Amino acid sequence: MLLVVERGFGQSPEEIERSTIEVDMLLEKARMAQQDTEKRTLAEQCLNMARSLHYDGGVIKSSICLGEIDVRQGKSEDALQHYLEAEAKAQSNGNKTTLLEIYQAIGDLFTREKLYTNARRYYLDILKLQSMDYETMEKLADAYLYEQSSDTAEIYYKRLIVKYKESGNVVRLVRIYQKLANAYDQQGNAGKSLYYYLPIEDLIERFGSMQEKSILYNNLGRQYATLHDYVKAIEYFEKAELQCVYIPCDYPDILYANMGIALHNIGNTKRGIEYLLKARAILVNRKDNVALANLEHLLAGVYFKSNDLYNAISHNNIAIELAKETNQATVLAEAYKTAADLYHELYDFEKAFAFYKSYLNLVDSVRLEEQARQQRLNQQRSLLSEAEGQIKYLIARQNYKDLELGQVRFERERLELLNKNLELESRQKEDKILLYQAQKAVDEAKQRELISEAMRSRQALLLAARELDTEKQKREISELKRQDEIERTRRMVDSTSRAQEVAILRKDKDITDLQLRQQDTFRRFVYGLGSLLIVILGLLALGWAFARRTNNRLNKQNRKIQAQNLEIAEERHKSDRLLRNVLPEEIAQELKTKGYATPRYYDSVTVVFTDFVNFTRLSANLAPEALVDELDECFLAFDEICEKHGLEKIKTIGDAYMCAGGIPIPNETHPTDAVAAAAEMLHWLQTRNNENSKAIFQEMRIGVHTGPVVAGVIGKNKFAYDIWGDAVNLAARLEQHGVSGKINISTQTADAVKGHYKVSYRGVKEVYNKDPMDMYFIEERI
């Protein structure tokens, strides 16, 4: 399984950047470490940190480093897992350079394990991205060659031959010809092998060293010997021997042995044996008992064909002893057969039979051991090949889970940001309301001041009016008094002279003029007071209009604020609805009010598990997007069925779907509800298969069990509602022991639904890590 550590919320971008730098530094330290143990420890730390940070670059580099360590330590399956994880991340990031490196590593890994078909796939992927990668093209050709697809390999090798001829790369050109020559030689096609040795001869004679010429001549001589052209073979063996005169040869024993056999085959057995004995002396001096056992047997064969039975038996006995000492079963078997033939020629049939019996027993033993070894190798290769599909499936599952988690995390962060924005907008609107209220208070104070000023002006106007009335009354009284005085005066001065009368009249006129001037002054005062009153009334009108406009603006703002409050309430309602989609409504309400949810024990809950048949095999060839779409279609339908029957969806685990009835609100009908939902799921799947012939997942098992569980919310930052208990495990076991298209239930569930459904008894089944239990199939509804 792939371990994924989720990053907690609240980490700033700066902190994430610092953490990724720490991952890179730690990875560089791992690369510089001398011991693989230290390298592995540091690389695993890097991998865990990179996963927790969702730092794909760190995951890729750490996985490649761990894959290289596993390859060196022979842990091919572990290496493949690390490389495939790196491949999945590199593909999602579109990192071409890294992807090429990963493809190369996986291809080389499969080549090392002799899974050439798998290796070819990755080498071809490299050539699709980088068609002129000649080293990879050579590896691809090697893979075809090792699979005995010589014709296809030859096509790629010829492209390389053209390239290396154009670039004048003699070393690689010789290497390509040598590979083709060796391949056809191993297939027993000596003629085709010689065809590729001839251009090697041309290149080596023009550009090669004496050492390389010696090796070439020996190989050419061997090819001619295989074609039974022993004269030509001896010619090349002598040319190789001549080279060894001037330079120290690394393989004179092989050359002398080849020369000896060729001479023997043209009838020059004596000289041939001399060469074979020279080769024998070299091996004895070098104490190479492995090669010596083969040579002793070869000498025995030559002596046998020359009818020198004594020397043949002597060398064959040495070959038997050396083969036993060096555990060479094949050589020993051949020596036993030669001994049987020798003693048969000497008419010692008892020894001949004994050696032949030993030969047959040893051949059977070798054959059985080889078959067992080949079977073990094939099994290991098969496991590794299957592991590729399983690991890719696990990575796809992990990517699906990461996608789900990322979507939930993104939605949560979006809602948190939305709530923060709404809170900020709410505070801004509250501040605006407070500002408008303060402005309104100021405007109201100004209005009250204007009204107060107007009231004071009005009081002053009323006081002036009263004073005017009083003055008018006084004037009337004064006028009456004056007329009375005039009348009295007139009467008194009737007897005075006319001059005095004139003087008195002038004086009266002056008094009258003075009174008129006083009246005119008072009138102007009254007019000024009236104008002031009009101005005050105008100010009062303006204040009333301003207050009315302010009130209208405040009312409009209040209406806008009310609309925004409704919008905030709607967004909060959406947030609550999303929370209820993630958690049961009761649990969500408890989280909102308390900030946490208390786990609860339920005496009776019915748990349902579903699982698609052959999911691993079917999904191995699916692209991750197609796999997610297929699962999404099925699980969306299951969600609707659960909601219809009052079941609570718990979670999905890869292709498994888990739900339960009787939680979070206990009820008495949960067993029948659960069975009805399970039956509808099967009916939906069958209907979908009939309507969609291209549906991938067409068969499904279902297990149902009723029992006690504990339910609650786990996690702090990312809530998840889950259930625990033995009932959950038993429901999963029932699903595993189920049959496609059937609902497998326990005794407890069968007892609970017996009045509603007909059930058939399946018998007692062994359950992993549990006691044997009775199982039943749901047949039909009563």
Side-chain angles (χ1 to χ4, degrees):
M1 293 294 293
L2 297 175
L3 175 64
V4 174
V5 182
E6 287 296 327
R7 173 174 65 86
F9 294 102
Q11 209 171 359
S12 68
E14 293 79 8
E15 291 173 339
I16 294 173
E17 184 176 359
R18 285 197 299 272
S19 299
T20 56
I21 292 172
E22 290 175 6
V23 170
D24 292 335
M25 292 175 64
L26 193 61
L27 187 60
E28 187 61 30
K29 187 177 178 182
R31 290 197 184 103
M32 299 298 292
Q34 298 297 322
Q35 302 295 327
D36 278 348
T37 305
E38 184 182 1
K39 280 180 182 286
R40 181 183 294 280
T41 302
L42 294 172
E44 286 176 347
Q45 290 178 11
C46 290
L47 184 59
N48 289 330
M49 288 175 64
R51 283 172 174 166
S52 67
L53 295 167
H54 297 281
Y55 174 32
D56 288 349
V59 172
I60 292 169
K61 295 173 186 175
S62 304
S63 297
I64 292 174
C65 183
L66 286 168
E68 292 170 351
I69 295 169
D70 288 329
V71 167
R72 285 196 296 273
Q73 295 180 350
K75 300 177 180 178
S76 300
E77 190 169 341
D78 293 340
L80 181 61
Q81 177 173 332
H82 288 302
Y83 284 143
L84 290 176
E85 183 177 2
E87 178 197 6
K89 295 295 183 184
Q91 284 178 339
S92 63
N93 291 343
N95 192 330
K96 178 182 174 181
T97 304
T98 306
L99 203 56
L100 289 170
E101 179 185 355
I102 296 166
Y103 286 157
Q104 194 73 253
I106 299 176
D108 293 346
L109 174 64
F110 281 125
T111 299
R112 192 177 298 106
E113 296 296 328
K114 298 184 179 180
L115 291 169
Y116 303 115
T117 302
N118 301 64
R120 284 203 328 260
R121 190 167 65 250
Y122 287 95
Y123 291 147
L124 285 169
D125 286 339
I126 294 174
L127 293 176
K128 287 176 184 176
L129 297 174
Q130 193 167 290
S131 60
M132 307 305 286
D133 188 343
Y134 294 105
E135 288 189 6
T136 301
M137 190 180 295
E138 185 173 345
K139 290 180 179 180
L140 177 62
D142 292 344
Y144 278 115
L145 195 64
Y146 298 146
E147 281 192 317
Q148 307 300 321
S149 300
S150 303
D151 294 339
T152 308
E154 198 168 357
I155 293 171
Y156 286 103
Y157 281 137
K158 285 182 177 178
R159 293 183 191 173
L160 294 168
I161 289 170
V162 172
K163 171 63 181 176
Y164 294 148
K165 279 183 177 179
E166 290 175 354
S167 62
N169 194 331
V170 176
V171 175
R172 294 204 171 182
L173 200 56
V174 169
R175 187 172 69 189
I176 298 300
Y177 284 133
Q178 187 69 57
K179 286 181 179 180
L180 285 165
N182 290 342
Y184 286 113
D185 185 27
Q186 290 172 6
Q187 294 175 18
N189 191 342
K192 198 70 178 284
S193 177
L194 184 61
Y195 172 79
Y196 284 107
Y197 266 119
L198 293 176
I200 297 176
E201 180 182 11
D202 176 62
L203 291 169
I204 293 297
E205 286 186 343
R206 285 192 292 150
F207 304 105
S209 64
M210 295 182 72
Q211 180 76 25
E212 290 169 338
K213 290 177 182 178
S214 176
I215 296 172
L216 171 67
Y217 294 148
N218 179 72
N219 290 341
L220 281 168
R222 190 171 57 82
Q223 293 304 317
Y224 280 113
T226 305
L227 292 170
H228 304 293
D229 189 348
Y230 298 111
V231 175
K232 195 73 173 176
I234 292 171
E235 178 185 337
Y236 277 102
F237 288 143
E238 287 176 343
K239 291 173 72 173
E241 185 180 12
L242 183 62
Q243 298 294 323
C244 291
V245 172
Y246 301 102
I247 60 169
C249 292
D250 296 331
Y251 57 94
D253 52 313
I254 297 175
L255 176 60
Y256 293 152
N258 288 337
M259 177 71 87
I261 296 299
L263 289 168
H264 167 69
N265 284 322
I266 63 171
N268 196 348
T269 302
K270 181 179 179 182
R271 190 169 168 223
I273 291 174
E274 289 176 358
Y275 273 100
L276 290 172
L277 291 175
K278 285 171 68 176
R280 181 177 183 275
I282 293 172
L283 294 177
V284 170
N285 186 53
R286 201 163 64 202
K287 297 181 180 180
D288 188 354
N289 290 341
V290 174
L292 189 58
N294 283 278
L295 187 59
E296 292 287 357
H297 182 255
L298 188 59
L299 272 165
V302 172
Y303 279 119
F304 187 16
K305 288 182 180 178
S306 302
N307 208 26
D308 187 349
L309 301 183
Y310 173 78
N311 280 318
I313 291 174
S314 176
H315 285 286
N316 196 64
N317 288 337
I318 296 173
I320 290 172
E321 294 301 321
L322 291 174
K324 287 180 179 178
E325 180 183 332
T326 55
N327 293 320
Q328 296 185 79
T330 304
V331 177
L332 183 60
E334 292 299 323
Y336 282 151
K337 186 174 185 301
T338 301
D341 293 338
L342 285 168
Y343 284 110
H344 184 271
E345 287 294 321
L346 294 171
Y347 301 104
D348 191 343
F349 299 115
E350 185 176 351
K351 282 187 178 181
F353 177 75
F355 277 111
Y356 195 72
K357 183 178 179 182
S358 298
Y359 161 73
L360 292 177
N361 291 335
L362 189 55
V363 166
D364 288 340
S365 176
V366 169
R367 181 175 53 79
L368 291 174
E369 286 181 5
E370 180 61 23
Q371 287 178 350
R373 187 184 69 83
Q374 196 63 39
Q375 187 175 1
R376 286 195 301 271
L377 288 175
N378 291 337
Q379 186 175 8
Q380 291 173 358
R381 293 168 187 165
S382 176
L383 289 173
L384 185 62
S385 182
E386 291 175 0
E388 180 186 12
Q390 292 172 356
I391 292 168
K392 285 188 174 180
Y393 159 67
L394 291 174
I395 291 172
R397 281 183 58 181
Q398 188 64 55
N399 289 339
Y400 176 71
K401 293 299 292 183
D402 288 345
L403 186 63
E404 281 187 335
L405 294 173
Q407 187 175 0
V408 172
R409 182 169 56 250
F410 170 76
E411 189 62 27
R412 174 169 181 178
E413 289 176 351
R414 188 186 70 80
L415 290 174
E416 288 179 351
L417 182 61
L418 181 61
N419 284 332
K420 287 179 181 177
N421 290 337
L422 291 174
E423 290 175 2
L424 180 61
E425 289 178 5
S426 178
R427 285 197 295 270
Q428 290 175 346
K429 290 168 184 176
E430 289 174 358
D431 292 340
K432 286 182 180 179
I433 291 172
L434 292 174
L435 181 62
Y436 284 128
Q437 288 176 347
Q439 186 65 39
K440 183 178 179 183
V442 171
D443 292 342
E444 288 177 350
K446 288 181 179 179
Q447 187 178 3
R448 285 196 299 271
E449 185 178 353
L450 289 172
I451 293 172
S452 177
E453 185 66 29
M455 292 299 293
R456 285 196 298 271
S457 298
R458 184 182 177 192
Q459 291 294 332
L461 188 61
L462 291 174
L463 181 61
R466 289 194 192 98
E467 290 178 352
L468 183 63
D469 291 339
T470 303
E471 186 64 27
K472 186 177 180 182
Q473 289 175 359
K474 286 180 179 180
R475 285 181 60 199
E476 288 177 353
I477 293 170
S478 177
E479 183 66 24
L480 288 173
K481 286 180 179 181
R482 189 180 64 78
Q483 290 178 359
D484 188 54
E485 281 294 326
I486 291 171
E487 186 65 27
R488 279 199 308 272
T489 302
R490 188 181 62 78
R491 289 176 184 163
M492 288 177 64
V493 296
D494 279 343
S495 59
T496 63
S497 62
R498 189 68 181 170
Q500 291 175 342
E501 185 177 351
V502 170
I504 292 168
L505 290 173
R506 186 179 293 114
K507 185 178 181 180
D508 288 337
K509 182 180 178 183
D510 292 336
I511 292 169
T512 302
D513 291 338
L514 178 61
Q515 289 175 346
L516 288 172
R517 283 195 301 272
Q518 288 176 345
Q519 289 177 1
D520 184 58
T521 301
F522 181 74
R523 192 164 46 250
R524 284 197 300 272
F525 169 74
V526 171
Y527 289 155
L529 190 62
S531 299
L532 178 63
L533 182 61
I534 291 170
V535 170
I536 291 170
L537 289 173
L539 290 173
L540 287 172
L542 286 173
W544 176 81
F546 179 75
R548 182 177 180 185
R549 187 176 65 182
T550 302
N551 285 333
N552 289 336
R553 188 169 67 244
L554 288 173
N555 290 333
K556 183 178 179 181
Q557 189 64 33
N558 286 334
R559 288 193 297 272
K560 185 177 180 181
I561 290 170
Q562 289 174 358
Q564 290 172 342
N565 287 337
L566 289 174
E567 184 180 348
I568 292 171
E570 179 63 25
E571 291 297 331
R572 285 178 177 166
H573 179 66
K574 290 180 180 178
S575 178
D576 292 343
R577 187 165 64 247
L578 179 61
L579 185 61
R580 287 194 296 272
N581 284 338
V582 176
L583 301 173
E585 185 171 358
E586 294 74 15
I587 304 301
Q589 190 63 34
E590 186 178 0
L591 279 173
K592 284 175 59 181
T593 55
K594 295 182 180 180
Y596 63 90
T598 305
R600 292 184 57 187
Y601 175 79
Y602 294 85
D603 291 329
S604 180
V605 169
T606 300
V607 184
V608 179
F609 264 94
T610 75
D611 189 75
F612 294 111
V613 178
N614 295 326
F615 176 79
T616 302
R617 179 177 60 80
L618 293 172
S619 62
N621 298 322
L622 282 179
E625 296 81 3
L627 175 62
V628 171
D629 291 342
E630 186 79 10
L631 290 174
D632 188 51
E633 181 183 0
C634 297
F635 290 165
L636 281 176
F638 293 175
D639 288 346
E640 294 176 359
I641 292 170
C642 286
E643 185 176 0
K644 174 182 175 182
H645 292 279
L647 270 64
E648 186 68 34
K649 175 187 176 181
I650 305 301
K651 58 186 173 184
T652 60
I653 311 165
D655 64 316
Y657 184 93
M658 176 182 173
C659 57
I663 56 168
I665 300 177
N667 60 60
E668 299 297 329
T669 62
H670 59 83
T672 54
D673 294 339
V675 171
E680 189 167 343
M681 288 176 184
L682 284 175
H683 180 263
W684 178 88
L685 187 64
Q686 184 178 0
T687 303
R688 173 175 173 270
N689 294 339
N690 293 335
E691 295 174 352
N692 182 10
S693 60
K694 296 182 179 179
I696 305 299
F697 306 131
Q698 299 195 356
E699 296 181 309
M700 181 173 68
R701 297 186 301 268
I702 298 182
V704 183
H705 176 65
T706 303
V709 300
V710 174
V713 174
I714 58 174
K716 178 181 179 182
N717 295 319
K718 179 166 61 61
F719 300 118
Y721 186 69
D722 207 346
I723 59 176
W724 305 272
D726 198 48
V728 178
N729 297 329
L730 287 174
R733 297 293 184 268
L734 284 161
E735 175 272 313
Q736 292 168 3
H737 285 78
V739 175
S740 173
K742 289 286 190 177
I743 303 173
N744 192 28
I745 64 174
S746 64
T747 302
Q748 292 83 345
T749 306
D751 291 341
V753 303
K754 61 185 178 182
H756 303 273
Y757 288 90
K758 288 183 180 180
V759 299
S760 60
Y761 181 59
R762 297 184 61 196
V764 178
K765 303 290 183 181
E766 293 290 336
V767 178
Y768 178 70
N769 275 345
K770 301 289 181 184
D771 293 333
M773 61 183 297
D774 295 314
M775 296 187 186
Y776 301 81
F777 277 147
I778 294 290
E779 296 298 338
E780 60 181 5
R781 193 178 185 102
I782 299 176

